[in-house]
């Protein structure tokens, strides 16, 4: 049984490996999860800083409206969320991890991924011109960025080697339902069959399809994904195709509320007031 004392022990062991000493397991993930570390290092390389100041960018109140300021100032908000666990550990150090609730997550990896995507695409943090072309360009860049951020945090769990690692990882990312046992099996199968990088590319494009309101990915779209990923075409067995399609379409398990209502709210808040059409 893994307990809250185990979490505190692992947090303290690596707490000084990053500057975010009060964020649950930030140093632990930096040392033990190469994907988490790679995103952090790249974010630091482009000048990202981090702040736990209460109310910064109104992030705690409405995180979806904070992104333009995160991109503009290259400053990522985070919660100092280790203190409640320290208090709880003193009361009941043997509390099972499965019984710990109501500790708010950090989304540092997600937000720093947005910073990196913005840098790569060289896109502004806000809509500059109110023309249809500019609006479509802004929407395209935003959806690519969201797919990139989502893929990063979802893929990072492939390196979660035990329950403590996974518990800490879940306190620093959103997994959108893509953390079920079957999905973890699929991600390892695809990675073994097609390679680590190709598995990530397939995942990224699957999220992009989802963001662009496809209902699912069929065998014809799967061929396009292979082409975009520059994966050499082979004579795949039907069973292999079925596994690939199951993996791609697993990403469509995300609740439709996000890609409809939340996305609509985000773009209207950016100044896009009319439907963009297909």
């Amino acid at each position: 049984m893994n307990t809250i004392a185990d979490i505190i022990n692992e947090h303290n062991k690596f707490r000084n490996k990053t500057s975010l000493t009060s964020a649950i397991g930030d140093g632990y993930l930096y040392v033990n999860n190469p994907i988490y570390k790679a995103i952090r290092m790249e974010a630091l390389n482009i000048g990202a800083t981090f702040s736990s100041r209460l109310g910064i960018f109104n992030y705690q109140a409405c995180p979806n409206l904070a992104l333009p300021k995160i991109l503009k100032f290259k400053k990522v908000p985070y919660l100092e969320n280790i203190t409640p666990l320290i208090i709880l550990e003193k009361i009941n150090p043997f509390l099972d991890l499965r019984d710990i609730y109501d500790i708010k997550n950090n989304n540092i990896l997600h937000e720093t991924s947005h910073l990196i995507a913005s840098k790569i695409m060289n896109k502004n943090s806000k809509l500059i011109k109110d023309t249809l072309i500019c609006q479509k360009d802004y929407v395209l860049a935003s959806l690519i960025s969201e797919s990139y951020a989502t893929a990063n945090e979802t893929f990072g769990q492939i390196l979660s080697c035990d329950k403590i690692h996974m518990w800490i990882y879940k306190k620093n990312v959103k997994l959108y339902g893509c953390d079920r046992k079957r999905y973890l099996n699929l991600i390892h199968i695809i990675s073994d069959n097609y390679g680590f990088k190709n598995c990530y590319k397939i995942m990224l494009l699957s999220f992009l399809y989802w963001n662009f309101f496809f209902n699912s990915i069929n065998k014809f779209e799967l061929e396009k994904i292979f082409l975009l990923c520059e994966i050499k075409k082979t004579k795949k067995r039907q069973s292999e195709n079925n596994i690939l399609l199951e993996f791609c379409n697993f990403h469509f398990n995300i609740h439709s509320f996000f890609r409809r209502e939340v996305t609509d709210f985000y773009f209207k808040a950016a100044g896009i007031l009319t439907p963009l059409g297909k």
Side-chain angles (χ1 to χ4, degrees):
M1 179 179 73
N2 296 121
T3 68
I4 190 171
D6 296 322
I7 295 297
I8 298 299
N9 180 59
E10 293 300 325
H11 173 85
N12 288 337
K13 191 186 301 182
F14 301 100
R15 70 188 301 270
N16 293 321
K17 296 298 182 178
T18 73
S19 62
L20 281 60
T21 57
S22 297
I24 293 174
D26 190 73
Y28 173 91
L29 292 176
Y30 185 83
V31 172
N32 293 288
N33 193 297
I35 292 176
Y36 192 90
K37 181 177 181 178
I39 297 299
R40 176 64 53 80
M41 291 182 66
E42 183 59 28
L44 292 173
N45 285 340
I46 63 175
T49 58
F50 305 88
S51 174
S52 61
R53 179 171 62 83
L54 186 64
I56 183 171
F57 308 150
N58 296 309
Y59 187 82
Q60 287 78 25
C62 189
N64 289 303
L65 290 184
L67 184 57
K69 287 189 176 180
I70 291 173
L71 298 180
K72 179 180 179 180
F73 296 104
K74 295 184 180 179
K75 188 178 291 293
V76 177
Y78 73 96
L79 294 171
E80 295 186 347
N81 56 358
I82 191 62
T83 303
L85 290 185
I86 294 174
I87 295 172
L88 187 55
E89 191 255 351
K90 291 178 180 177
I91 299 170
N92 187 352
F94 302 108
L95 184 65
D96 194 314
L97 293 185
R98 293 171 295 183
D99 295 327
I100 301 173
Y101 296 100
D102 204 32
I103 303 296
K104 289 189 175 181
N105 290 16
N106 271 307
N107 295 311
I108 302 166
L109 188 149
H110 187 93
E111 307 302 0
T112 50
S113 293
H114 278 303
L115 280 173
I116 295 167
S118 179
K119 178 69 174 181
I120 292 172
M121 294 186 290
N122 193 28
K123 295 299 180 183
N124 292 303
S125 60
K126 62 180 181 179
L127 185 64
I128 302 300
K129 296 181 180 179
D130 188 23
T131 65
L132 187 59
I133 292 177
C134 289
Q135 288 181 7
K136 288 187 174 183
D137 183 62
Y138 181 84
V139 168
L140 176 62
S142 298
L143 295 184
I144 291 174
S145 181
E146 185 62 29
S147 301
Y148 174 70
T150 307
N152 284 348
E153 54 194 343
T154 305
F155 195 64
Q157 67 182 319
I158 194 175
L159 300 171
S160 299
C161 55
D162 55 43
K163 290 182 179 179
I164 290 179
H165 191 148
M166 194 63 174
W167 193 92
I168 293 174
Y169 193 76
K170 286 183 175 182
K171 285 300 169 188
N172 288 277
V173 301
K174 295 177 182 177
L175 291 175
Y176 315 94
C178 294
D179 55 345
R180 302 172 197 171
K181 186 176 180 179
R182 176 57 180 167
Y183 183 81
L184 293 175
N185 287 338
L186 288 170
I187 198 173
H188 284 287
I189 291 171
I190 302 302
S191 183
D192 289 343
N193 289 347
Y194 296 94
F196 200 73
K197 291 183 179 179
N198 283 333
C199 180
Y200 173 80
K201 292 177 184 179
I202 293 169
M203 178 187 292
L204 173 62
L205 287 169
S206 298
F207 276 121
L208 198 59
Y209 270 80
W210 181 85
N211 272 305
F212 273 93
F213 284 92
F214 279 74
N215 292 320
S216 63
I217 295 174
N218 57 35
K219 62 181 181 179
F220 301 108
E221 298 302 330
L222 184 61
E223 292 299 324
K224 294 178 184 177
I225 288 175
F226 266 67
L227 184 62
L228 287 169
C229 293
E230 298 181 333
I231 299 174
K232 187 177 180 180
K233 188 175 181 180
T234 60
K235 292 183 178 179
K236 298 183 291 293
R237 298 188 301 271
Q238 185 59 43
S239 59
E240 192 172 344
N241 269 327
N242 290 341
I243 289 174
L244 282 163
L245 287 171
E246 183 184 358
F247 176 67
C248 290
N249 285 310
F250 212 105
H251 304 107
F252 286 74
N253 289 328
I254 301 172
H255 199 283
S256 61
F257 174 80
F258 180 84
R259 70 170 179 176
R260 291 185 183 275
E261 283 77 4
V262 175
T263 303
D264 183 62
F265 169 66
Y266 175 80
F267 286 130
K268 285 180 178 177
I272 299 175
L273 304 180
T274 55
L276 296 179
K278 294 183 179 180

